[in-house]
Amino acid sequence: MNFITFSETKLRAFTYSVFKKMGCSDAHAELATDVLIRSDLRGIDSHGVARLSGYVRLWEKKRINATPDIKIVHETPTTATIDGDAGLGLVVAPFAMQVAIEKAEKYGSGWVSVKNSNHYGIAGYHALMAVEKDMIGISMTNASPLVAPTYANERLLGTNPMCYAFPAGKYPPVIVDMATAAAANGKLEIAQRANKSIPDGWVQDKTGENSTNPNELKNGGSLLPLGSDKDHGSHKGYGLSATVDILSAVLSGANYGPWVPPFVAFLEPSANPVGEGLGHFLGAMRVDGFRQAADFKNHLDNWVERFKSAKTIDPDKKVIIPGEPEHEFEQERKISGIPLIDVVVNDLNELAEKLGIEGLK
């Protein structure tokens, strides 16, 4: 496995040109690009430019609308439901979070459920929009059914990530951003490209037996919930995933459970959908709705310092604050560039040739 490093500027220009070729407006292409590049900068390589060709294939199948009319279809002073008009989730979710933020600015909190959308990138991007306003950000989305609930041997839920982001003072925001499955599907894709096995407890084969084969999903297997099995708490991961599915889709009118349309273009959506597209749920809460923002951030700094000073089993290892590794990746990659494995670079260059744009060199 070989890595090729590109500057942030180079990858932004390339990604922007791809979205423009899809027919996105300048503003939408710039926003979608920012979501993907931020993922790569933060070290979440599975959700960055490696996903570009997937979005293009969905657009070619007319499952993504490059020029959506995103609108509020139901609302109260503090809540709203948004129809994404089959647009890029990379564009629809930030629109929804902005609505949540504006409601929070007026009323203390804002809550938005979204239907008729698509894959929205990393959950943390949207939650961080609220943090920039001294708000607590909440972001979650349902996803293609790849996960079997506890005791099941049938894919009924997605990896269904959720993110909670909290503004700190002198430290970076505390960001709890995680899939509710034992592992995100993107991690399997990375293992596939690298031709490596995966840890035990991530997937089961089509008979329900544990497997370390990263290609198991292609063979009829399924991902396991966070916790992997009942003895290790998979019912908790299942419950968290169910919560995401209900808030994102049952609440908004999007497809839920096994009816969620697949991200891969070669699989067709359900012939009998129960809703429209994918669903998201975004929330923003003003910190000063509870106490002075400065006081909260000072105490969160204190919280961070206390946890960082915790006694550890291994003296060479320190307690990691949620969001800390991603922040460190971002600081480093803004200077040294973004490494992509050669398989991804080849895929992007093939995409460039197909679209008639300049490739990565």
Side-chain angles (χ1 to χ4, degrees):
M1 181 171 60
N2 298 313
F3 286 91
I4 305 172
T5 300
F6 297 92
S7 69
E8 176 186 350
T9 301
K10 175 70 174 179
L11 283 183
R12 279 188 182 276
F14 176 81
T15 305
Y16 176 84
S17 65
V18 170
F19 285 124
K20 285 295 293 179
K21 274 290 183 178
M22 288 172 58
C24 295
S25 68
D26 290 347
H28 282 188
E30 186 173 340
L31 177 55
T33 294
D34 193 49
V35 178
L36 292 190
I37 297 301
R38 192 77 185 277
S39 178
D40 280 315
L41 284 172
R42 293 178 65 79
I44 310 173
D45 302 328
S46 58
H47 284 59
V49 295
R51 291 264 177 175
L52 256 180
S53 57
Y55 293 114
V56 172
R57 286 191 288 268
L58 287 174
W59 167 69
E60 290 173 335
K61 293 290 289 287
K62 301 189 185 305
R63 286 172 50 191
I64 284 181
N65 176 9
T67 56
D69 177 20
I70 308 167
K71 57 182 179 293
I72 296 172
V73 293
H74 183 84
E75 71 176 322
T76 72
T78 59
T79 65
T81 299
I82 285 175
D83 185 330
D85 195 25
L88 284 161
L90 308 171
V91 171
V92 177
F95 178 98
M97 180 53 94
Q98 187 57 43
V99 171
I101 289 170
E102 290 171 2
K103 287 180 176 294
E105 287 174 337
K106 290 182 180 180
Y107 303 107
S109 69
W111 307 93
V112 179
S113 201
V114 180
K115 66 176 180 177
N116 204 6
S117 186
N118 282 282
H119 191 278
Y120 81 169
I122 55 171
Y125 182 94
H126 316 297
L128 279 168
M129 289 174 61
V131 166
E132 293 170 2
K133 301 287 187 178
D134 271 355
M135 297 180 186
I136 295 167
I138 298 172
S139 165
M140 56 189 75
T141 182
N142 69 357
S144 311
L146 298 173
V147 181
T150 302
Y151 297 137
N153 192 20
E154 184 180 2
R155 301 176 184 177
L156 294 178
L157 290 164
T159 54
N160 293 4
M162 55 169 56
C163 178
Y164 293 80
F166 306 91
K170 61 183 178 181
Y171 295 108
V174 175
I175 306 169
V176 180
D177 185 354
M178 63 180 193
T180 54
N185 185 41
K187 290 188 176 180
L188 268 66
E189 294 171 350
I190 290 173
Q192 290 165 15
R193 295 187 184 111
N195 197 28
K196 292 183 176 180
S197 61
I198 56 174
D200 188 47
W202 280 15
V203 301
Q204 64 184 17
D205 64 22
K206 60 184 179 182
T207 68
E209 296 296 321
N210 278 341
S211 172
T212 58
N213 180 1
N215 297 293
E216 206 63 73
L217 297 185
K218 300 175 183 177
N219 302 327
S222 52
L223 285 166
L224 293 168
L226 184 64
S228 77
D229 59 32
K230 182 65 165 63
D231 290 340
H232 294 90
S234 70
H235 58 291
K236 298 175 183 178
Y238 166 37
L240 288 171
S241 185
T243 300
V244 173
D245 204 30
I246 293 166
L247 286 174
S248 299
V250 179
L251 189 60
S252 69
N255 287 292
Y256 46 82
W259 293 279
V260 177
F263 179 76
V264 290
F266 62 83
L267 293 177
E268 293 298 323
S270 171
N272 300 294
V274 293
E276 297 177 82
L278 267 73
H280 318 311
F281 185 77
L282 295 307
M285 297 186 292
R286 273 171 46 184
V287 169
D288 66 5
F290 300 89
R291 70 186 301 185
Q292 290 297 314
D295 290 342
F296 171 83
K297 291 194 286 186
N298 285 338
H299 278 280
L300 190 54
D301 284 344
N302 188 51
W303 186 96
V304 169
E305 289 171 355
R306 180 62 186 88
F307 276 70
K308 287 297 290 180
S309 66
K311 296 176 183 177
T312 55
I313 300 168
D314 183 342
D316 293 329
K317 294 182 179 178
K318 299 295 183 182
V319 169
I320 297 171
I321 304 301
E324 184 180 17
E326 292 83 357
H327 175 77
E328 291 176 353
F329 267 119
E330 189 163 13
Q331 301 310 301
E332 177 193 342
R333 290 186 172 186
K334 275 189 168 292
I335 298 170
S336 61
I338 298 170
L340 301 178
I341 60 174
D342 50 9
V343 176
V344 170
V345 175
N346 293 338
D347 177 58
L348 294 176
N349 281 327
E350 289 175 8
L351 178 64
E353 185 176 354
K354 182 173 72 171
L355 295 177
I357 61 176
E358 183 179 351
L360 293 171
K361 297 176 182 176

